[in-house]
């Protein structure tokens, strides 16, 4: 079976997208944030307390997750709430949980 140039370009684009996601997930703080947010919408103070991450690190990693569109935000008064925004990230996190957290 021969791959056409069009199919090859699509595969290359998909591979680049997958690598981009894996690069974001390769940071343990971001991984823990996604696990915690995956349990339900959380505000910054809840994430800080649950994961024992200090504000500068927490803000930096949440910015990466927002920029990569893995989380979305909702403002309520002074609080910003985070929830998962990527179905692909949810599926990958579910697989990782199954293989690494349920041992």
């Amino acid at each position: 079976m021969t791959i056409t140039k069009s199919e090859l370009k699509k595969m290359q684009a998909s591979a680049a997208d997958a690598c981009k996601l894996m690069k974001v997930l390769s940071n343990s703080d971001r991984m823990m944030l996604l696990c915690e947010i995956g349990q339900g919408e959380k505000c910054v103070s809840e994430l800080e307390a649950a994961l024992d991450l200090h504000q500068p690190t927490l803000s930096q990693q949440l910015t990466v997750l927002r920029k990569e569109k893995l989380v979305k935000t909702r403002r309520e008064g002074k609080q910003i709430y985070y929830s998962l925004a990527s179905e692909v990230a949810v599926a990958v996190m579910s697989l990782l949980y199954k293989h690494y957290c349920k041992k």
Side-chain angles (χ1 to χ4, degrees):
M1 182 174 149
T2 305
I3 298 173
T4 67
K5 286 191 179 216
S6 174
E7 291 171 325
L8 179 60
K9 285 203 178 284
K10 287 179 184 176
M11 289 172 65
Q12 289 170 330
S14 293
D17 289 343
C19 287
K20 191 175 177 180
L21 173 63
M22 297 311 292
K23 184 177 179 182
V24 172
L25 295 179
S26 69
N27 177 284
S28 61
D29 289 336
R30 290 191 294 264
M31 179 77 70
M32 293 300 297
L33 281 165
L34 288 172
C35 285
E36 191 64 27
I37 295 167
Q39 303 300 311
E41 185 180 65
K42 299 278 192 304
C43 70
V44 173
S45 60
E46 291 171 321
L47 292 168
E48 190 174 18
L51 300 175
D52 193 31
L53 288 175
H54 301 292
Q55 186 63 37
T57 301
L58 184 61
S59 293
Q60 182 181 36
Q61 300 311 329
L62 286 170
T63 297
V64 172
L65 295 174
R66 262 193 332 268
K67 181 178 144 208
E68 296 301 326
K69 296 180 174 57
L70 299 183
V71 297
K72 58 186 173 185
T73 60
R74 174 181 70 82
R75 181 178 286 279
E76 188 174 297
K78 292 182 179 183
Q79 294 288 352
I80 297 176
Y81 289 88
Y82 290 84
S83 59
L84 295 180
S86 167
E87 289 183 30
V88 173
V90 170
V92 170
M93 294 299 295
S94 178
L95 183 65
L96 291 171
Y97 180 84
K98 177 182 173 186
H99 289 282
Y100 291 98
C101 298
K102 290 187 93 176
K103 286 185 174 184

